[in-house]
Amino acid sequence: MKFFIDTANIDEIKDAASIGILDGVTTNPSLAAKETAPYKEILTEICKIVPGPVSAEVIATDYDGMMKEAEELVKIADNIVIKIPTILEGLKAIKSLSTNGVMTNATLVFSPSQALLVAKAGATFVSPFIGRLDDISQHGMELIDNICTIYNNYTYQTEVLVASVRHPMHVIESAMIGADVVTMPYNVIKQLIKHPLTDIGLEKFIADYKKAQK
Ligand code: G3P
């Protein structure tokens, strides 16, 4: 499974990249708004740090506007992925961009039917937002299961990129289902390695080692 970090914060990206397990980055306008630098500058910096796919989101909601923004964003670096909202105009943009060899990420996906359509349009990634479904008392993880089942029934190349991840269990359950990618905040990456018994055990080993130095 690939690990992406879901942030526009350069320090977090550098820290996560230094661990050695980071495969890519996803950003969105809300994440960019938390930072001080302009969005394109942030994306340029991110692409220098991470060689894997870096998602950059368009703001336009019409086909022509999306294509124009995509044209500018792809100039930033070869690893830019154009993040497109999953609406009818977005579907057209995904089809055109993927036909022209541009990587795309269909965002704001909340249903299997949306996922089926973006796969048919040739999206590189589909981003189901599981945390936001959980927030409204629907099962986010069921959506991942359904999308993986549908994609596995055919030969779609679209990778399932689990988004809106809130905690380690979202990552573990995605891995058990077989999702291709999980994008997560930096705090979730750090939570994945933590276990209280590891900390207790380590403390005891260190204390015993000191006792053994007679
Ligand atoms: O990748 C999409 C993600 O950023 C959305 O997460 O926490 O705003 O629902 P959240």
Side-chain angles (χ1 to χ4, degrees):
M1 185 166 70
K2 292 175 201 162
F3 273 31
F4 288 6
I5 189 167
D6 194 30
T7 184
N9 184 280
I10 298 296
D11 289 336
E12 286 185 346
I13 293 167
K14 279 184 181 165
D15 282 357
S18 74
I19 301 169
I21 52 147
L22 189 65
D23 300 299
V25 180
T26 50
T27 67
N28 63 37
S30 307
L31 293 170
K34 292 181 190 168
E35 308 303 318
T36 45
Y39 192 32
K40 275 189 194 162
E41 267 178 39
I42 295 171
L43 289 165
T44 305
E45 185 71 17
I46 296 173
C47 289
K48 284 183 193 153
I49 302 165
V50 180
V54 174
S55 286
E57 188 157 343
V58 299
I59 297 305
T61 53
D62 64 298
Y63 171 82
D64 289 337
M66 288 179 195
M67 294 301 286
K68 210 167 151 210
E69 279 184 56
E71 202 178 308
E72 289 306 309
L73 289 169
V74 292
K75 288 180 190 163
I76 293 174
D78 289 346
N79 52 332
I80 283 283
V81 177
I82 307 299
K83 209 171 180 188
I84 306 269
T86 306
I87 54 177
L88 213 51
E89 291 290 291
L91 201 56
K92 286 191 229 169
I94 289 169
K95 179 68 187 179
S96 293
L97 291 167
S98 59
T99 302
N100 289 315
V102 175
M103 290 188 288
T104 54
N105 178 353
T107 191
L108 289 166
V109 164
F110 293 97
S111 74
S113 59
Q114 290 176 313
L116 179 56
L117 283 176
V118 301
K120 275 192 74 67
T124 315
F125 299 102
V126 60
S127 286
F129 277 30
I130 58 170
R132 293 193 194 183
L133 283 171
D134 290 352
D135 288 345
I136 59 159
S137 305
Q138 293 188 12
H139 292 290
M141 206 47 69
E142 265 179 25
L143 177 60
I144 303 305
D145 207 2
N146 290 338
I147 295 172
C148 288
T149 300
I150 291 168
Y151 284 11
N152 288 339
N153 284 341
Y154 302 96
T155 52
Y156 296 125
Q157 298 302 302
T158 305
E159 293 188 42
V160 179
L161 193 171
V162 182
S164 186
V165 162
R166 302 279 162 79
H167 50 71
M169 283 314 292
H170 277 153
V171 181
I172 300 311
E173 287 173 19
S174 298
M176 286 169 72
I177 291 169
D180 303 285
V181 191
V182 173
T183 189
M184 62 202 106
Y186 188 38
N187 71 305
V188 175
I189 296 178
K190 286 188 288 185
Q191 281 174 314
L192 285 167
I193 194 74
K194 289 294 284 180
H195 198 288
L197 289 179
T198 304
D199 294 340
I200 292 166
L202 184 59
E203 204 176 308
K204 179 146 176 40
F205 280 155
I206 291 169
D208 287 346
Y209 175 82
K210 282 179 188 157
K211 273 192 229 164
Q213 308 306 304
K214 298 176 182 116

